[in-house]
Amino acid sequence: MSDLVHPARALWWLFEPVHAVTYFLPEGRAAFEEAGLRGSWRGYFASRSAPLGAVDAPPVIAAFFNFAPAMVERALPSVWTFASPEETLTARLKGSAAALARLLECVDPAQVELVADTLEQAAARLDCAGRVLASANAALPRPTGVYERLWQAATVMREHRGDGHVAALVAAGLDGCEALVIRCAMDMRRDQIQPVRGWTDAEWEGAAERLVERGWLTAGGAVTELGRIRHQALEAATDLAAARVWEDYPRAELDRLAAALKPISALCRSQLPFYPVGLPDNT
C-alpha cells in the first residue's frame, strides 16, 4: 500500500467492490427475483436493510443518508410484502456467493481463503458502537462457504466504514443531498447520481445554494478551495473512524492482505459501474 493513502482508505478501496457485487451482477439480481424482489431497487433496499429486520422507512432514511426520503418510502415497508428479511438475507448471500464464484474461478483458492479469513478476523474485532448497519451485519450468523464468508466479512467492514462516513458528514454539517452535490462538483456526474438517489431538481438546487452560501461552491457550481479543504477533512475523519481495527496489524500483514485482495477486487470492480459506487480510478 502507498504511504500517501491511509491504510483504512486503501483497504476500503479494495473490499468495497467485493461487497457491491450483490447489487449489480446478474447472479445477485436473479437471487433477489427468485425471492420475489423484482426490480433492482427492491433488491437494494430490502437486502441492505434486512439485517435490521422488517424495518420501516425512517431508520433507513437515517442510516442510508444520501437517498432522498421519498425514494426510500417508495420501497419501505412495502418491500416486506414481497420477501421477508430472512428470505432476503438468504437471497443476498446466495447471489453474492454465486457472483464471486464465477468472477474468482481463476484466482488461487488459497488467496481467497486468506482474504476471507483476514477480513473475518478484522470484522470480529470491530467496535460497532454507534454504527447501526455494521452492528446489525456483524450479528448475523457466520456462513460456511468461502465465497459467502468473503462477501459477508467485506460487507461488515464496508458498513462499518459507511456508518463512520455518515457520522463525519453529519459532523461537517452536511445533509444527504449536499454530500452528493459537493461530490459531483469534484469528480462525479449529476446526471448519473441524482436519478439513482431520488432527489428532485428543486432539492438538488437548494442543496447547491446552501453550499454556495457556506463557501464550498462558487455560484457557477465549481468546488472552492474551502470546499476541497472541508471535503478532505471529512474524508480524513472517515479514515480515522475506520482506523482502529487496523492499528494492531503490522504493516507487512496489511500489505499481505492488500496484495491478496487486489486481484479479487479488480475482478469484482471490472463488473461494476463507476456510479453509484463512486470509487476513485486509482484503486
Side-chain angles (χ1 to χ4, degrees):
M1 290 185 295
S2 169
D3 291 331
L4 300 177
V5 178
H6 195 290
R9 191 182 310 190
L11 289 168
W12 165 65
W13 286 348
L14 294 172
F15 59 68
E16 173 78 20
V18 178
H19 160 76
V21 299
T22 195
Y23 309 124
F24 298 105
L25 270 65
E27 292 88 347
R29 291 193 295 270
F32 291 140
E33 289 183 2
E34 184 181 345
L37 298 166
R38 293 177 175 81
S40 59
W41 288 116
R42 281 179 182 165
Y44 178 85
F45 284 110
S47 66
R48 198 165 166 226
S49 63
L52 302 172
V55 67
D56 206 339
V60 176
I61 292 169
F64 288 17
F65 191 72
N66 62 22
F67 283 89
M71 187 174 183
V72 181
E73 289 165 351
R74 285 195 294 271
L76 295 168
S78 63
V79 74
W80 306 125
T81 66
F82 299 96
S84 69
E86 294 76 17
E87 291 168 333
T88 302
L89 290 171
T90 298
R92 76 172 192 171
L93 203 56
K94 177 182 177 181
S96 302
L100 290 172
R102 174 176 60 83
L103 289 174
L104 307 183
E105 61 181 351
C106 295
V107 177
D108 182 353
Q111 292 296 91
V112 179
E113 191 78 37
L114 168 66
V115 172
D117 286 347
T118 307
L119 289 181
E120 277 190 325
Q121 292 162 11
R125 297 171 59 182
L126 290 174
D127 181 357
C128 292
R131 303 175 196 256
V132 174
L133 290 175
S135 178
N137 278 278
L140 295 174
R142 179 179 182 266
T144 55
V146 66
Y147 297 115
E148 288 87 347
R149 289 171 44 227
L150 171 61
W151 184 83
Q152 184 156 306
T155 295
V156 173
M157 300 302 298
R158 185 257 175 242
E159 296 292 23
H160 182 272
R161 182 181 176 89
D163 285 340
H165 186 56
V166 168
L169 291 168
V170 171
L174 295 179
D175 64 29
C177 191
E178 291 166 355
L180 294 176
V181 172
I182 190 68
R183 180 69 191 275
C184 285
M186 298 175 67
D187 65 351
M188 298 183 76
R189 289 172 46 184
R190 174 181 175 176
D191 64 329
Q192 293 177 333
I193 295 301
Q194 184 184 345
V196 297
R197 291 294 185 260
W199 300 99
T200 66
D201 286 342
E203 290 167 333
W204 192 276
E205 296 301 333
E209 289 173 4
R210 293 192 295 275
L211 290 169
V212 171
E213 292 172 359
R214 295 179 62 182
W216 289 44
L217 294 180
T218 68
V223 64
T224 64
E225 183 62 24
L226 175 63
R228 290 191 183 279
I229 291 171
R230 293 288 188 261
H231 190 267
Q232 290 169 358
L234 71 86
E235 292 295 332
T238 302
D239 292 338
L240 182 62
R244 185 174 181 181
V245 70
W246 303 116
E247 289 174 351
D248 292 335
Y249 284 82
R251 180 54 185 264
E253 191 168 343
L254 293 179
D255 287 341
R256 180 177 175 226
L257 170 61
L261 186 49
K262 189 172 183 178
I264 293 171
S265 180
L267 288 166
C268 294
R269 184 187 168 116
S270 70
Q271 303 294 306
L272 301 175
F274 173 69
Y275 70 94
V277 178
L279 285 165
D281 291 333
N282 59 341
T283 55

